[in-house]
Amino acid sequence: MILEPDSVSQAECLSAGARADRFASLARAGRVLKEANPRARVYYDAGHSGWHAPARQAAWLRQAGAASAASSDGVFSNVSNFHTTADEIAYDRAVLDALGGPRASAPSSTPAATATGHRPTGRGATRRAARWAARRRCAPARRASTPTCG
């Protein structure tokens, strides 16, 4: 499961105290999920390759518990965007290197349509997810590719 998409990347919008509270909550949530079901796989959202620098994202992920095997199995990126898989793999590797260990990554994208009603060619998730989106005739995306504060 992906633990609270965008919650780490949007931490820049918070005061230092609120950021610490959010990261403590995420770390606890990861631990509780893994303790409740040892087979559960918990991935922290690492944003995407067009958002924060890998070192900055890794520092926040570490504070939120993503570097701890007790609360995380790795990171996931490109949850709600359409960056290429190659870009996301390179980004995830840089984030994982900055976290300090060989952890799993799962770059992908949601099966939502773009503003034109179609997925960009060669971007995002698997063919299965693209078929899922096509069958459901997803509405145009209403969210900016990179959230901003305020």
Side-chain angles (χ1 to χ4, degrees):
M1 78 177 47
I2 303 167
L3 186 62
E4 288 294 323
D6 292 341
S7 62
V8 174
S9 296
Q10 290 182 347
E12 69 184 342
C13 301
L14 303 173
S15 68
R19 186 178 307 130
D21 289 345
R22 177 177 289 182
F23 291 161
S25 293
L26 289 169
R28 182 177 183 282
R31 283 192 311 274
V32 168
L33 289 165
K34 291 180 72 61
E35 287 170 5
N37 182 352
R39 292 177 35 187
R41 297 295 172 251
V42 177
Y43 296 90
Y44 281 66
D45 183 8
H48 60 78
S49 59
W51 202 345
H52 298 298
R56 181 179 191 184
Q57 191 69 30
W60 284 344
L61 286 163
R62 188 176 300 104
Q63 291 173 45
S68 169
S71 60
S72 171
D73 291 290
V75 300
F76 191 102
S77 69
N78 211 29
V79 171
S80 57
N81 291 278
F82 298 104
H83 295 275
T84 64
T85 300
D87 287 348
E88 292 309 303
I89 289 171
Y91 174 74
D92 287 353
R93 286 181 178 158
V95 169
L96 294 171
D97 287 347
L99 272 174
R103 307 290 306 219
S105 72
S108 189
S109 179
T110 58
T114 64
T116 62
H118 302 285
R119 296 182 59 72
T121 303
R123 305 233 182 156
T126 63
R127 289 182 187 156
R128 179 176 170 208
R131 286 192 308 268
W132 179 90
R135 283 194 310 270
R136 281 153 186 80
R137 295 186 180 155
C138 294
R142 291 192 169 101
R143 182 175 172 178
S145 64
T146 302
T148 57
C149 296

